[in-house]
PDB file of all heavy atoms in Angstrom:
ATOM      1  N   ARG A1375       2.240   2.002  -3.378  1.00 40.00           N
ATOM      2  CA  ARG A1375       1.246   2.548  -4.220  1.00 40.00           C
ATOM      3  C   ARG A1375       1.022   4.077  -4.023  1.00 40.00           C
ATOM      4  O   ARG A1375       0.913   4.886  -4.871  1.00 40.00           O
ATOM      5  CB  ARG A1375      -0.051   1.798  -4.082  1.00 40.00           C
ATOM      6  CG  ARG A1375      -1.135   2.294  -4.959  1.00 40.00           C
ATOM      7  CD  ARG A1375      -2.526   1.570  -4.887  1.00 40.00           C
ATOM      8  NE  ARG A1375      -2.540   0.462  -5.734  1.00 40.00           N
ATOM      9  CZ  ARG A1375      -3.372  -0.505  -5.624  1.00 40.00           C
ATOM     10  NH1 ARG A1375      -4.392  -0.507  -4.807  1.00 40.00           N
ATOM     11  NH2 ARG A1375      -3.318  -1.529  -6.531  1.00 40.00           N
ATOM     12  N   ALA A1387       2.012  17.958 -12.597  1.00 37.00           N
ATOM     13  CA  ALA A1387       1.988  19.327 -12.085  1.00 37.00           C
ATOM     14  C   ALA A1387       3.122  20.184 -12.652  1.00 37.00           C
ATOM     15  O   ALA A1387       2.975  21.308 -12.983  1.00 37.00           O
ATOM     16  CB  ALA A1387       1.787  19.531 -10.633  1.00 37.00           C
ATOM     17  N   ALA A1390       2.773  21.989 -16.192  1.00 46.00           N
ATOM     18  CA  ALA A1390       1.820  23.036 -16.091  1.00 46.00           C
ATOM     19  C   ALA A1390       2.382  24.298 -15.425  1.00 46.00           C
ATOM     20  O   ALA A1390       2.115  25.398 -15.793  1.00 46.00           O
ATOM     21  CB  ALA A1390       0.502  22.609 -15.369  1.00 46.00           C
ATOM     22  N   GLY A1424      11.944  33.392 -15.569  1.00 92.00           N
ATOM     23  CA  GLY A1424      13.054  32.611 -14.938  1.00 92.00           C
ATOM     24  C   GLY A1424      13.434  33.321 -13.645  1.00 92.00           C
ATOM     25  O   GLY A1424      12.837  34.170 -13.160  1.00 92.00           O
ATOM     26  N   ARG A1429      13.675  36.361 -18.357  1.00 94.00           N
ATOM     27  CA  ARG A1429      12.856  35.388 -19.049  1.00 94.00           C
ATOM     28  C   ARG A1429      13.837  34.345 -19.713  1.00 94.00           C
ATOM     29  O   ARG A1429      14.910  34.780 -20.274  1.00 94.00           O
ATOM     30  CB  ARG A1429      11.971  36.078 -20.157  1.00 94.00           C
ATOM     31  CG  ARG A1429      11.035  37.074 -19.382  1.00 94.00           C
ATOM     32  CD  ARG A1429       9.988  37.514 -20.323  1.00 94.00           C
ATOM     33  NE  ARG A1429       9.074  36.482 -20.826  1.00 94.00           N
ATOM     34  CZ  ARG A1429       7.953  36.022 -20.108  1.00 94.00           C
ATOM     35  NH1 ARG A1429       7.761  36.519 -18.855  1.00 94.00           N
ATOM     36  NH2 ARG A1429       7.145  35.067 -20.536  1.00 94.00           N
ATOM     37  N   GLY A1446     -14.632  32.055 -39.796  1.00 91.00           N
ATOM     38  CA  GLY A1446     -14.176  30.778 -39.088  1.00 91.00           C
ATOM     39  C   GLY A1446     -13.086  29.951 -39.868  1.00 91.00           C
ATOM     40  O   GLY A1446     -12.749  28.915 -39.420  1.00 91.00           O
ATOM     41  N   GLY A1471      -7.695  35.930 -45.598  1.00 95.00           N
ATOM     42  CA  GLY A1471      -6.335  36.449 -45.108  1.00 95.00           C
ATOM     43  C   GLY A1471      -6.015  36.088 -43.748  1.00 95.00           C
ATOM     44  O   GLY A1471      -6.759  35.216 -43.082  1.00 95.00           O
TER      45      GLY A1471
END
Side-chain angles (χ1 to χ4, degrees):
R1375 177 180 273 171
R1429 297 193 65 84

